[in-house]
Amino acid sequence: MKLPDNVLNKESTHKTNSLNTMTLTGLSLMWGVMLQLINPWWSIGVVLCLLAGYGNEISERKKTTSTLSL
């Protein structure tokens, strides 16, 4: 069974910002490391949480127009 073409090319209307649960977890861990409340080894987890949280955002696709000028 083949899906209709308009379903596959449909753009998501849901937009989010980069402030989500993983980002807030990373920020909380970062404060814990900065205030020396937790071991500095947690800074690896801080970086991973911040990168995962920032990478989870849904952003609008940019429409590119390629033009070749000679």
Side-chain angles (χ1 to χ4, degrees), residues 6-59:
N6 61 353
V7 172
L8 297 175
N9 296 329
K10 188 175 182 182
E11 188 72 32
S12 175
T13 58
H14 181 70
K15 306 282 187 288
T16 62
N17 56 8
S18 59
L19 189 64
N20 55 26
T21 306
M22 289 299 288
T23 307
L24 292 176
T25 302
L27 290 174
S28 298
L29 288 173
M30 183 171 61
W31 274 106
V33 171
M34 287 173 48
L35 297 175
Q36 297 178 352
L37 298 173
I38 57 176
N39 197 334
W41 281 102
W42 278 95
S43 59
I44 298 168
V46 168
V47 172
L48 292 175
C49 284
L50 290 174
L51 287 176
Y54 187 73
N56 280 338
E57 67 182 28
I58 300 172
S59 58

